[in-house]
Amino acid sequence: KNQVEQSPQSLIILEGKNCTLQCNYTVSPFSNLRWYKQDTGRGPVSLTIMTFSENTKSNGRYTATLDADTKQSSLHITASQLSDSASYICVVSRRGEKLTFGTGTRLTIIP
Amino acid sequence: DSGVTQTPKHLITATGQRVTLRCSPRSGDLSVYWYQQSLDQGLQFLIQYYNGEERAKGNILERFSAQQFPDLHSELNLSSLELGDSALYFCASSVDGTGDYEQYFGPGTRLTVT
């Protein structure tokens, strides 16, 4: 069964600290992996999208890594800000098929 | 602003009723996806349309139906509503229907069934 699992389920960190969110997937054959940020009650917003051949991709303070051999991805957030409080969703795509969504990591940044 | 619009923003209705949610994709995007997100749950894929044709189906109930019109806007129809249908409904659009390209999400419609 094609699955996407994220950890931790929730995370609380102090403003200014770094954190790393994890995503493990069993989706195969793999097409691409995306990380989305979703503020409460709003639509998800794309942070990064990586294909099989990409190991790392950055978007400002967000850096995503991908290990297609172990089927793992991580999202690293540097120097967290209060506005980073949101759910972060890992999404994996099989070529030509619907996306498989993880259940997300809820991140809370406290001052 | 993703360029995807959804109306209405909020909808409150009673059990047994029928509602229609509307989505306009980004200019140039041919594919529209519908998702349901219940409270504190992940996004559940419902259905995808590409250039007017149904492309993929997910966990969509028989009471729900959708269509995409020639101008590419889409409507999601929910009938015989139950309390459990209360959720956020998101529409997303992308340039093609393969899943290889970015999906842009709308702001969502919050449906409350009382």
Side-chain angles (χ1 to χ4, degrees):
Chain A
K1 185 179 176 183
N2 293 310
Q3 287 187 314
V4 177
E5 294 185 356
Q6 293 187 242
S7 61
Q9 209 168 13
S10 62
L11 183 62
I12 301 173
I13 64 171
L14 287 172
E15 184 181 11
K17 298 296 186 183
N18 303 335
C19 66
T20 300
L21 315 180
Q22 301 290 340
C23 173
N24 296 333
Y25 62 92
T26 59
V27 175
S28 181
F30 170 89
S31 178
N32 60 64
L33 184 145
R34 310 147 190 239
W35 283 94
Y36 283 91
K37 178 187 178 188
Q38 185 178 22
D39 293 317
T40 302
R42 295 183 165 246
V45 174
S46 178
L47 296 175
T48 64
I49 178 169
M50 290 185 291
T51 61
F52 181 88
S53 60
E54 295 176 292
N55 300 118
T56 185
K57 204 157 196 176
S58 291
N59 178 359
R61 294 178 297 102
Y62 301 100
T63 299
T65 64
L66 173 64
D67 185 335
D69 291 330
T70 61
K71 294 187 168 63
Q72 295 180 326
S73 176
S74 65
L75 180 69
H76 186 74
I77 304 174
T78 305
S80 61
Q81 300 176 358
L82 296 177
S83 60
D84 293 331
S85 293
S87 287
Y88 291 83
I89 306 169
C90 175
V91 185
V92 182
S93 169
R94 291 177 66 176
R95 182 158 184 84
E97 296 191 14
K98 65 179 177 71
L99 307 180
T100 302
F101 286 76
T103 53
T105 292
R106 187 184 297 269
L107 177 64
T108 304
I109 311 297
I110 56 175
Chain B
D1 184 0
S2 66
V4 178
T5 60
Q6 289 186 248
T7 57
K9 279 186 109 169
H10 302 277
L11 202 46
I12 301 174
T13 189
T15 54
Q17 295 299 305
R18 173 190 169 95
V19 297
T20 297
L21 313 184
R22 183 189 168 105
C23 168
S24 292
R26 290 189 331 149
S27 177
D29 285 356
L30 299 178
S31 202
V32 169
Y33 305 77
W34 285 99
Y35 296 91
Q36 179 192 56
Q37 188 173 40
S38 302
L39 188 64
D40 291 333
Q41 298 294 310
L43 284 157
Q44 297 292 320
F45 168 70
L46 295 178
I47 197 165
Q48 177 201 358
Y49 278 82
Y50 175 74
N51 205 20
E53 301 288 328
E54 182 183 305
R55 174 63 69 94
K57 234 173 184 176
N59 303 318
I60 188 165
L61 300 172
E62 284 194 16
R63 300 183 286 108
F64 297 0
S65 65
Q67 53 185 327
Q68 186 179 28
F69 294 87
D71 67 352
L72 300 177
H73 91 271
S74 178
E75 292 181 357
L76 179 67
N77 301 295
L78 315 176
S79 62
S80 302
L81 285 168
E82 302 175 359
L83 295 177
D85 297 328
S86 295
L88 269 168
Y89 291 84
F90 289 105
C91 162
S93 75
S94 70
V95 65
D96 79 347
T98 65
D100 291 345
Y101 290 87
E102 190 59 78
Q103 283 192 21
Y104 296 88
F105 284 79
T109 292
R110 182 177 295 279
L111 173 65
T112 303
V113 182
T114 62

